[in-house]
Amino acid sequence: MSDFLIIGGGVIGMMTALQLADAGQQVTLVERGECGKEASWAGGGIVSPLYPWRYDAAISQLSRWSEGVYPSLALRLLEETGIDPEYRQKGLLYLNVDDAGKALEWARQLGKPLERVAADFVHAKEPGVAMAGDSALWMPTLGSVRNPRLAKALKARLAAMPQVTLREQCDVSGFIHEAGKREGSVEGVMTSQGALKAGRIVVCGGAWAAQLLAQLDVHLPVRPVKGQMIAYQATKGLLQRVVLKDGRYIIPRADGLLLVGSTLEEAGFDKTTDEAALASLKQSAEAILPALKRCPVANQWAGLRPGSPEGIPFIGALHEWPNVFVNAGHYRNGLVLAPASTHLLVDQLLGREPLIAPAPYQPNPERLTQA
């Protein structure tokens, strides 16, 4: 029997397993499909909320800490696995920002390097970008990671750790607990590969977390929010930095691939793509970088974000089932918040002094009722 059983093999679940294994714990991770192939694969990999000054302080606390972790995490995984997560820190250009004053005040309060820049500055950094006005905002410290490779590296590292058991294609069908009891201790889970038991259960099921916890009569307000993206195959160097305009972004990869995202759709668990989204994303991308009109769209895909009230994740033990923990509901910022949110949960699991105050994230009855 493992010390911990983690349900969900996305970035949140895998980083939780890595930290627990680093601390000497025996961990079993179960994933209904293949590790890292849901929202963790489908996103863009910007290591910041898109407009960080517009978010609740609870999200800002997690994102600030996580931002500083990615350079060392990427280096660690590269050295341990030979897989490069491609962390790039080349900054972000914000075009057409209608609340620039609020953004600059936020940056001053936090000591973040954010400045207003003119069109000539933008053109010097990114000659191909079409300016929407005579000024923009520039954050030089912002980075991005190639999330599919990050997930691949995490999986490879976990597979090599003797304390970790990975079970993919392993669908959880129910929880094992004393019959007739609506609260108390959970002994394990029933899966398509048989019963699995552990001292503590951690639900990191992303958009599926609410479905899982409903089996314990816990009503977690997490829902799937569909996001479609496209990628252009462009010439290397056509764009060097992340550029954001009117909520849409272009993210460059080292090999010339340019990711464009993303839509926001309330469509349940549907992950199909469509022509309307393709046209909308192309229009946004080509308005930012007109040269893309001459580049082919290499791919189009969709992922399901775990939407939650105000985007604040639920992190901690369930009131009714004290040995069942949850880390879900990160909405658009799962990868952004993953290092901090998993560290915060592992602090609670191992009885350590928490990284930050855990109260805003607790899945307590009051928060679930308010949601």
Side-chain angles (χ1 to χ4, degrees):
M1 185 175 78
S2 295
D3 300 313
F4 296 94
L5 189 149
I6 299 171
I7 304 172
V11 167
I12 300 293
M14 288 194 287
M15 283 194 188
T16 303
L18 179 62
Q19 292 178 49
L20 287 170
D22 282 344
Q25 305 296 309
Q26 294 293 319
V27 182
T28 297
L29 187 150
V30 298
E31 163 56 41
R32 59 193 289 272
E34 185 177 348
C35 287
K37 288 299 180 71
E38 288 290 350
S40 299
W41 177 90
I46 302 173
V47 185
S48 170
L50 292 184
Y51 297 94
W53 55 89
R54 298 176 184 173
Y55 282 84
D56 188 278
I59 295 174
S60 296
Q61 281 188 301
L62 294 175
S63 66
R64 289 201 303 273
W65 194 89
S66 292
E67 185 179 347
V69 170
Y70 269 108
S72 58
L73 175 62
L75 180 61
R76 171 191 175 172
L77 292 172
L78 174 60
E79 291 298 320
E80 289 178 335
T81 70
I83 300 168
D84 186 0
E86 289 189 16
Y87 176 77
R88 294 161 51 95
Q89 190 171 337
K90 290 184 173 291
L92 187 149
L93 287 164
Y94 296 89
L95 309 182
N96 202 29
V97 179
D98 58 10
D99 58 350
K102 179 180 178 181
L104 293 167
E105 178 58 29
W106 166 86
R108 283 192 290 269
Q109 289 179 359
L110 296 181
K112 296 281 288 185
L114 180 70
E115 61 180 312
R116 194 189 302 269
V117 294
D120 57 351
F121 179 95
V122 175
H123 292 148
K125 290 288 185 186
E126 297 293 348
V129 166
M131 281 288 290
D134 58 2
S135 69
L137 296 179
W138 165 241
M139 185 181 288
T141 57
L142 190 138
S144 65
V145 68
R146 195 159 188 167
N147 42 300
R149 296 190 181 184
L150 171 68
K152 185 179 180 180
L154 284 167
K155 177 181 171 180
R157 178 57 187 145
L158 292 175
M161 300 180 83
Q163 306 99 313
V164 178
T165 300
L166 291 179
R167 289 179 176 262
E168 296 182 301
Q169 308 299 329
C170 185
D171 195 21
V172 174
S173 58
F175 293 86
I176 303 170
H177 56 90
E178 188 175 340
K181 291 193 69 174
R182 292 173 60 87
E183 57 184 53
S185 180
V186 172
E187 298 176 8
V189 296
M190 290 301 302
T191 79
S192 55
Q193 297 179 18
L196 299 174
K197 294 191 175 183
R200 279 172 282 185
I201 314 295
V202 183
V203 177
C204 303
W208 289 265
Q211 287 186 331
L212 288 165
L213 291 176
Q215 299 177 58
L216 293 176
D217 201 29
V218 174
H219 303 288
L220 191 76
V222 172
R223 71 193 192 283
V225 181
K226 179 177 172 179
Q228 295 189 54
M229 295 184 66
I230 62 174
Y232 289 84
Q233 187 58 61
T235 305
K236 286 180 65 173
L238 183 62
L239 190 76
Q240 295 290 325
R241 294 158 185 85
V242 179
V243 181
L244 177 62
K245 177 186 175 186
D246 299 332
R248 294 278 174 86
Y249 50 79
I250 306 179
I251 305 169
R253 301 302 198 203
D255 57 5
L257 201 68
L258 297 177
L259 274 63
V260 180
S262 69
T263 66
L264 285 170
E265 305 170 53
E266 298 284 350
F269 288 93
D270 171 42
K271 291 196 295 182
T272 58
T273 60
D274 59 73
E275 290 296 321
L278 173 62
S280 176
L281 290 166
K282 285 186 65 178
Q283 181 180 34
S284 296
E286 292 165 12
I288 296 171
L289 192 63
L292 288 177
K293 295 174 183 178
R294 302 187 297 274
C295 298
V297 173
N299 198 7
Q300 180 182 6
W301 66 94
L304 301 176
R305 311 174 185 90
S308 60
E310 299 182 25
I312 301 174
F314 295 89
I315 306 170
L318 298 176
H319 182 264
E320 301 88 348
W321 306 94
N323 74 325
V324 179
F325 296 75
V326 63
N327 197 348
H330 298 74
Y331 193 29
R332 305 186 76 177
N333 296 309
L335 186 137
V336 176
L337 307 180
S341 68
T342 55
H343 196 294
L344 177 59
L345 181 61
V346 172
D347 285 344
Q348 296 174 65
L349 292 171
L350 300 182
R352 304 185 307 209
E353 183 70 23
L355 170 72
I356 58 176
Y361 317 99
Q362 294 294 300
N364 52 45
E366 293 78 14
R367 190 167 173 226
L368 297 183
T369 301
Q370 290 172 357

